[in-house]
């Protein structure tokens, strides 16, 4: 079995990351979202990670800057995990899990205290995510409550944080 390495995405990976997202999602919306986010203020190069098997890019995960805004106009800086993709032929081999655990650990090292994700409600809780409504954190659109999740990277990382997530413009452009 070839070893999987997780490393920061490089410009030479961009095309492979596009193709990978397109293949995993069966459409190009998420691939285009990655391209738009890369060009935006929300982009954090250290948190665009690829999983590599030998020379091949087999997975990608991106964490971008978001704000959680409460009704008094206070805003809290956080991160959104989106999108994440593993090459169809390499799914269910633990690559997605590696990308998440490496990503969360790097985000913590960079000083972030929490991450929000909209995704499979049976998958992300394996890594410690819980419904964001636990903290009264809500999405800006209608989604099943349990699919909108959050994780604290440090104890109390979301203490006192409530409100609605404000996504980067790129999310509305694809
Ligand atoms: C979701 C995804 C990134 C997971 O990557 P992965 O490398 O397959 O994940 P892992 O091997 O670490 O974990 C496998 C587990 O993920 C879960 N899982 C994988 N794909 C899933 C899916 N489409 N729906 C629900 N759960 C899924 C299963 O619980 C699986 O465990 P099992 O094999 O014991 O049943 C990958 O399946 C993918 O690229 N899917 C298409 C794109 C996508 O949906 N991205 C996520 C958006 S939230």
């Amino acid at each position: 079995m070839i070893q999987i390495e997780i490393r920061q995405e490089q410009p030479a990976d961009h095309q492979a990351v596009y193709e990978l997202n397109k293949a995993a999602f069966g459409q190009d919306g998420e691939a285009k979202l990655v391209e738009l986010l890369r060009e935006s203020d929300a982009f954090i190069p250290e948190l665009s990670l690829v999983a590599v098997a030998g020379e091949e890019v087999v997975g990608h995960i991106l964490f971008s800057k978001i704000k959680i805004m409460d009704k008094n106009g206070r805003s809290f800086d956080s991160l959104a995990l989106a999108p994440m993709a593993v090459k169809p032929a390499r799914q269910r081999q633990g690559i997605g899990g590696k990308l998440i655990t490496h990503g969360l650990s790097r985000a913590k090292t960079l000083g972030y205290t929490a991450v929000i994700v909209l995704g499979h409600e049976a998958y992300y809780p394996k890594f410690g995510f819980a419904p964001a409504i636990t903290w009264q954190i809500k999405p800006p659109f209608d989604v099943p409550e349990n699919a909108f999740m959050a994780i604290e990277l440090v104890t109390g990382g979301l203490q006192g944080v409530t409100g609605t997530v404000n996504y980067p413009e790129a999310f509305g452009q694809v």
Side-chain angles (χ1 to χ4, degrees):
M1 165 114 187
I2 304 178
Q3 286 277 37
I4 301 290
E5 185 205 346
I6 309 290
R7 61 162 171 78
Q8 187 176 325
E9 174 198 69
Q10 301 300 315
D13 301 319
H14 289 181
Q15 188 61 32
V17 167
Y18 188 96
E19 297 302 335
L20 163 67
N21 273 281
K22 192 173 164 187
F25 286 96
Q27 57 180 45
D28 61 9
E30 289 77 7
K32 287 182 173 162
L33 175 62
V34 172
E35 302 223 307
L36 288 171
L37 284 169
R38 261 197 218 108
E39 302 303 318
S40 78
D41 293 343
F43 187 61
I44 305 161
E46 295 89 341
L47 294 179
S48 185
L49 304 175
V50 287
V52 182
E55 294 290 301
E56 189 189 8
V57 175
V58 294
H60 174 251
I61 193 167
L62 180 59
F63 298 81
S64 308
K65 294 179 202 168
I66 53 163
K67 288 188 186 297
I68 302 169
M69 317 277 290
D70 75 12
K71 52 181 184 295
N72 298 317
R74 280 181 307 186
S75 103
F76 177 82
D77 290 333
S78 192
L79 290 176
L81 187 178
M84 157 170 160
V86 171
K87 195 180 166 186
R90 303 299 299 260
Q91 290 177 6
R92 306 209 150 179
Q93 296 172 14
I95 297 171
K98 273 196 175 158
L99 282 164
I100 294 176
T101 49
H102 272 72
L104 295 178
S105 150
R106 283 186 188 214
K108 183 177 173 179
T109 305
L110 290 171
Y112 291 93
T113 58
V115 174
I116 303 288
V117 71
L118 169 63
H120 304 302
E121 60 192 68
Y123 184 57
Y124 294 97
K126 293 181 191 181
F127 307 96
F129 284 85
I133 198 68
T134 310
W135 295 274
Q136 292 301 314
I137 295 171
K138 296 177 182 167
F141 32 65
D142 270 343
V143 286
E145 196 165 87
N146 287 342
F148 194 69
M149 294 167 269
I151 186 171
E152 292 181 330
L153 300 177
V154 293
T155 306
L158 284 172
Q159 199 176 352
V161 179
T162 62
T164 303
V165 171
N166 195 342
Y167 281 96
E169 265 177 40
F171 281 85
Q173 291 172 353
V174 289

Coordinates of all heavy atoms in Angstrom, one line a residue, residues 24-25 84-87 90-98 117-120 122-124 126-127, ligand 1:
A24 N -15.0 13.9 -7.6 CA -15.6 13.4 -6.4 C -17.1 13.9 -6.3 O -17.9 13.2 -5.8 CB -14.8 13.9 -5.2
F25 N -17.4 15.1 -6.7 CA -18.7 15.7 -6.6 C -19.6 15.4 -7.8 O -20.8 15.6 -7.8 CB -18.7 17.2 -6.3 CG -18.2 17.5 -4.9 CD1 -16.9 17.8 -4.6 CD2 -19.1 17.5 -3.8 CE1 -16.5 18.1 -3.3 CE2 -18.7 17.8 -2.5 CZ -17.4 18.1 -2.3
M84 N -14.3 19.4 0.6 CA -13.3 18.3 0.8 C -13.6 17.2 -0.2 O -14.8 16.9 -0.4 CB -13.4 17.9 2.3 CG -12.9 16.5 2.5 SD -12.9 16.2 4.2 CE -12.9 14.5 4.2
A85 N -12.6 16.6 -0.7 CA -12.9 15.6 -1.8 C -11.8 14.6 -1.8 O -10.6 14.9 -1.6 CB -13.0 16.3 -3.1
V86 N -12.2 13.3 -2.0 CA -11.2 12.2 -2.2 C -11.5 11.6 -3.5 O -12.7 11.4 -3.8 CB -11.3 11.2 -1.0 CG1 -10.4 10.0 -1.3 CG2 -10.8 11.9 0.3
K87 N -10.5 11.3 -4.2 CA -10.7 10.6 -5.5 C -11.6 9.4 -5.4 O -11.4 8.6 -4.5 CB -9.3 10.2 -6.0 CG -9.2 9.8 -7.5 CD -7.8 9.4 -7.8 CE -7.9 8.8 -9.2 NZ -6.7 8.2 -9.7
R90 N -10.3 6.1 -4.5 CA -9.5 6.0 -3.2 C -10.4 6.3 -2.0 O -9.8 6.5 -0.9 CB -8.3 7.0 -3.3 CG -7.4 6.8 -4.4 CD -6.8 5.4 -4.4 NE -6.0 5.1 -3.2 CZ -4.6 5.2 -3.2 NH1 -4.0 5.5 -4.2 NH2 -4.0 5.0 -2.0
Q91 N -11.7 6.4 -2.1 CA -12.6 6.7 -1.0 C -12.7 5.5 -0.1 O -12.4 4.4 -0.5 CB -14.0 7.1 -1.5 CG -13.9 8.5 -2.1 CD -15.2 9.0 -2.7 OE1 -16.3 8.4 -2.5 NE2 -15.2 10.1 -3.4
R92 N -13.0 5.7 1.2 CA -13.2 4.7 2.2 C -11.9 4.0 2.5 O -11.9 2.8 2.8 CB -14.3 3.8 1.8 CG -15.6 4.5 1.5 CD -16.9 3.8 1.8 NE -17.9 4.7 2.1 CZ -19.2 4.4 2.4 NH1 -19.5 3.2 2.5 NH2 -20.0 5.3 2.8
Q93 N -10.8 4.7 2.4 CA -9.5 4.1 2.8 C -8.9 5.0 3.9 O -7.7 4.9 4.1 CB -8.6 4.1 1.6 CG -9.1 3.1 0.5 CD -8.3 3.2 -0.8 OE1 -7.2 3.8 -0.8 NE2 -8.8 2.7 -1.9
G94 N -9.6 5.9 4.4 CA -9.1 6.7 5.5 C -8.4 8.0 5.1 O -7.9 8.7 6.0
I95 N -8.4 8.3 3.8 CA -7.7 9.5 3.3 C -8.5 10.8 3.8 O -7.9 11.7 4.3 CB -7.6 9.5 1.8 CG1 -6.7 8.3 1.4 CG2 -7.0 10.8 1.3 CD1 -6.6 8.0 -0.1
G96 N -9.8 10.7 3.7 CA -10.6 11.9 4.2 C -10.3 12.1 5.6 O -10.1 13.3 6.1
G97 N -10.3 11.1 6.4 CA -10.0 11.2 7.8 C -8.7 11.9 8.1 O -8.5 12.7 9.0
K98 N -7.7 11.4 7.3 CA -6.3 12.0 7.5 C -6.3 13.5 7.2 O -5.7 14.3 7.9 CB -5.3 11.3 6.6 CG -4.7 10.1 7.1 CD -3.5 9.7 6.3 CE -2.9 8.5 7.0 NZ -2.0 7.7 6.2
V117 N -18.6 23.2 9.7 CA -18.8 22.4 8.5 C -20.2 22.2 8.2 O -21.0 21.9 9.1 CB -18.0 21.1 8.5 CG1 -18.6 20.1 9.5 CG2 -17.9 20.5 7.1
L118 N -20.6 22.2 6.9 CA -21.9 21.7 6.4 C -21.6 20.4 5.7 O -20.9 20.4 4.7 CB -22.5 22.7 5.5 CG -23.8 22.2 4.7 CD1 -24.9 21.9 5.7 CD2 -24.2 23.3 3.7
G119 N -22.1 19.3 6.2 CA -21.8 18.0 5.5 C -22.5 16.8 6.1 O -23.5 17.0 6.9
H120 N -22.0 15.7 5.7 CA -22.6 14.4 6.1 C -22.7 14.3 7.7 O -21.6 14.2 8.3 CB -21.9 13.2 5.6 CG -21.7 13.2 4.1 ND1 -22.8 13.3 3.2 CD2 -20.6 13.2 3.3 CE1 -22.3 13.3 2.0 NE2 -21.0 13.3 2.0
A122 N -23.3 11.8 9.5 CA -22.8 10.6 10.1 C -21.2 10.6 10.0 O -20.6 9.7 10.6 CB -23.3 9.4 9.3
Y123 N -20.6 11.5 9.3 CA -19.2 11.4 9.0 C -18.4 12.3 10.0 O -17.5 11.9 10.7 CB -18.9 11.8 7.6 CG -17.5 11.7 7.2 CD1 -16.8 10.5 7.3 CD2 -16.8 12.8 6.7 CE1 -15.4 10.4 6.9 CE2 -15.4 12.7 6.3 CZ -14.8 11.5 6.4 OH -13.5 11.4 6.0
Y124 N -18.7 13.6 10.0 CA -17.9 14.6 10.8 C -17.9 14.4 12.3 O -16.9 14.6 12.9 CB -18.3 16.0 10.4 CG -17.9 16.3 8.9 CD1 -18.8 16.2 7.9 CD2 -16.6 16.6 8.6 CE1 -18.5 16.4 6.6 CE2 -16.2 16.8 7.3 CZ -17.2 16.7 6.3 OH -16.8 16.9 5.0
K126 N -17.4 11.8 13.8 CA -16.3 10.9 14.1 C -15.0 11.6 14.5 O -14.1 11.1 15.1 CB -15.9 10.0 12.9 CG -16.9 9.0 12.4 CD -16.4 8.3 11.2 CE -17.6 7.5 10.6 NZ -17.1 6.7 9.5
F127 N -15.0 12.9 14.1 CA -13.8 13.7 14.3 C -14.0 14.8 15.4 O -13.2 15.7 15.6 CB -13.3 14.4 13.0 CG -13.1 13.4 11.9 CD1 -14.1 13.2 11.0 CD2 -11.9 12.6 11.9 CE1 -13.9 12.2 10.0 CE2 -11.8 11.6 10.9 CZ -12.8 11.4 10.0
Ligands
LIG1 C1 -16.7 12.5 2.0 C2 -15.3 12.1 1.5 C3 -14.4 13.3 1.4 C4 -14.7 11.1 2.6 O1 -13.4 10.7 2.2 P1 -12.9 9.2 2.5 O2 -11.5 9.2 2.2 O3 -13.8 8.3 1.7 O4 -13.3 9.1 4.0 P2 -12.7 8.1 5.1 O5 -12.1 6.9 4.4 O6 -11.8 8.8 6.0 O7 -14.0 7.7 5.9 C5 -14.9 6.7 5.3 C6 -16.2 6.9 5.9 O8 -16.8 8.1 5.4 C7 -18.2 7.9 5.4 N1 -18.5 8.3 4.0 C8 -17.8 8.3 2.9 N2 -18.5 8.7 1.9 C9 -19.7 9.0 2.4 C10 -20.9 9.5 1.8 N3 -20.9 9.8 0.5 N4 -21.9 9.7 2.6 C11 -21.9 9.4 3.9 N5 -20.8 8.9 4.5 C12 -19.7 8.7 3.7 C13 -18.5 6.5 5.8 O9 -18.9 6.6 7.1 C14 -17.2 5.8 5.7 O10 -17.0 4.9 6.6 P3 -17.3 3.3 6.3 O11 -16.4 3.1 5.1 O12 -16.8 2.7 7.5 O13 -18.7 3.3 5.9 C15 -15.3 11.3 0.2 O14 -16.2 10.3 0.3 C16 -15.8 12.2 -1.0 O15 -14.9 12.9 -1.6 N6 -17.1 12.3 -1.3 C17 -17.6 13.1 -2.4 C18 -17.5 14.6 -2.1 C19 -18.1 15.0 -0.8 O16 -19.3 14.6 -0.5 N7 -17.4 15.7 0.0 C20 -17.8 16.1 1.4 C21 -18.7 17.2 1.4 S1 -19.3 17.5 3.0

